[in-house]
Amino acid sequence: MDNIPGAWRRTASGAGLLSPQGEVAPTIFAEMSAFAARTGAINLGQGFPDEDGPFEVLEAAREAIAHGANQYPPGRGIPDLLAAISEHQQRFYGLTVDPDREVIVTAGATEALTATLLALLDSPDDEVVVFEPYYDSYAAAVALAGAKLRTVRLRAPDFQPDLDELAAAVSDRTRIILVNNPHNPTGTVFAQEVLSEVVRLADRHDATIVTDEVYEHLSFHQPHTPIATLPGAAARTLTISSAGKTFSVTGWKIGWVHGPAELITAVLTVKQYLTYANGSAFQPAIAVGLRLPDSYFADAAAAVLRKHELLGSALRSAGFEVHAPQGGYFTVADATALGGSDAAEFCRELPERAGVVAIPITAFVTPEHRANYAGLVRFAACKRVDVLEEAARRLSALS
């Protein structure tokens, strides 16, 4: 078939992968990982750790497999994990979550986000407001749902939004305000006035707030603040997170979403026809992880911050202008001084020039705004210290 119909085409277009000739390009992550494999470059492009998570969590998964947790779990998730998520939200944030009616376990945060968007969007006139740059799956899922993406730009060096621009982007057509905090790819943590303005605008325009909080335990300089804890927010907020980043088990794909029961029912109605259920043996292990002592979470954040500091120092020495992150896995640097005014081309050349792979920030923005981010490059700091030290040695060749 030369012209295959279906929603795939608008999904690819929304993700920026469809050429004018109708050809689908690989994602920038696939392209850069192929560069790494071909050249032997250190892959600081993709955001996954190269160290295993805590022993207690890994051992709990082995025990679950050995003791028969190998068939379908309940569609909402196993009761112990639902309870652990509820306990976690109360313990860290003072949020009261009904584990039986207000939580769903999902195949990672990505499924939670996609199921939520598919459940709550219903018209080509529906709009989703996101901060730009944005995690690439947002645009793809909004396009799959047949809705429109509205963006609010984040500008260096602090990557905080202009509140007037945010207010102008939200209207009565806005069905969802989608907030990723701590933010990928910029590493910013949104100021309290930004979060409060999101709540005010959502209330004014009767929009649902959807939060992507997968880096909640990797906020380096201040405690993480879920939007659902703000006055008036909980009744219209769906909070999404996952185990992958917190416990270094990105391949397990255990995520969750919680919020008001009626919104959770809407999301579950769609989610049950996507994966139905997943990760039977991993769910009890993540319940163990969520109950680890506070010291585990503090130490994990401190370890990632030290890696960012190592990477940032190497990038500065190589000639980059570094925007130190406030949270998450990624450091953003400006490569303009190194001839990287076209970050995409710079990243394609970097494996040969320095033996390191990175991702251009232009991969995370709409085409009309790419010029505003043309020199910015994202590096993943979530690797072993010896890997980052070797990357630093290689990057020194650029200076």
Side-chain angles (χ1 to χ4, degrees), residues 237-289:
T237 299
L238 286 167
T239 301
I240 293 170
S241 193
S242 75
K245 308 303 191 298
T246 299
F247 303 111
S248 297
V249 288
T250 59
W252 287 12
K253 298 299 290 181
I254 301 296
W256 51 86
V257 52
H258 78 76
E262 61 273 18
L263 286 174
I264 288 295
T265 296
V267 175
L268 179 62
T269 301
V270 171
K271 178 264 185 296
Q272 65 192 352
Y273 296 110
L274 297 176
T275 59
Y276 172 62
N278 75 295
S280 181
F282 298 139
Q283 290 193 33
I286 298 308
V288 170

Side-chain angles (χ1 to χ4, degrees), residues 284-328:
I286 298 308
V288 170
L290 290 173
R291 293 173 175 132
L292 287 174
D294 291 1
S295 59
Y296 167 78
F297 299 93
D299 290 349
V304 176
L305 176 58
R306 286 193 294 272
K307 292 178 179 183
H308 276 295
E309 292 169 345
L310 190 165
L311 177 60
S313 177
L315 291 170
R316 290 186 188 93
S317 295
F320 292 88
E321 179 186 357
V322 176
H323 302 295
Q326 297 173 301

Side-chain angles (χ1 to χ4, degrees), residues 52-253:
D52 283 335
F55 172 80
E56 301 96 318
V57 173
L58 303 182
E59 188 60 27
R62 297 185 189 100
E63 286 291 317
I65 291 170
H67 290 88
N70 301 303
Q71 310 307 325
Y72 293 128
R76 283 183 178 264
I78 67 166
D80 191 46
L81 179 53
L82 297 174
I85 293 166
S86 175
E87 293 164 15
H88 172 276
Q89 296 305 90
Q90 178 65 47
R91 168 185 167 193
F92 285 98
Y93 312 122
L95 286 168
T96 300
V97 178
D98 183 341
D100 298 320
R101 301 173 61 247
E102 297 182 340
V103 193
I104 309 169
V105 175
T106 59
T110 301
E111 188 198 30
L113 287 158
T114 301
T116 295
L117 294 170
L118 290 174
L120 301 183
L121 299 172
D122 193 37
S123 164
D125 295 324
D126 288 349
E127 294 184 354
V128 178
V129 173
V130 301
F131 294 114
E132 182 178 37
Y134 48 77
Y135 179 54
D136 62 332
S137 82
Y138 299 169
V142 170
L144 176 61
K148 295 178 182 177
L149 192 74
R150 290 286 303 272
T151 66
V152 178
R153 284 178 53 201
L154 305 177
R155 296 175 175 86
D158 63 356
F159 296 109
Q160 296 289 322
D162 181 284
L163 297 187
D164 291 335
E165 292 181 10
L166 174 58
V170 180
S171 72
D172 288 345
R173 293 184 299 277
T174 304
R175 298 276 65 79
I176 292 171
I177 304 174
L178 175 51
V179 181
N180 176 204
N181 189 42
H183 185 262
N184 173 18
T186 69
T188 197
V189 170
F190 290 120
Q192 193 75 16
E193 56 265 29
V194 173
L195 303 182
S196 296
E197 181 66 356
V198 167
V199 176
R200 186 188 74 82
L201 291 168
D203 182 66
R204 178 180 177 183
H205 296 284
D206 196 25
T208 299
I209 303 167
V210 177
T211 69
D212 176 354
E213 303 184 19
V214 298
Y215 296 106
E216 61 182 307
H217 287 294
L218 295 177
S219 179
F220 303 136
H221 306 299
Q222 59 186 297
H224 174 63
T225 301
I227 283 186
T229 63
L230 272 60
R236 61 173 66 252
T237 299
L238 286 167
T239 301
I240 293 170
S241 193
S242 75
K245 308 303 191 298
T246 299
F247 303 111
S248 297
V249 288
T250 59
W252 287 12
K253 298 299 290 181

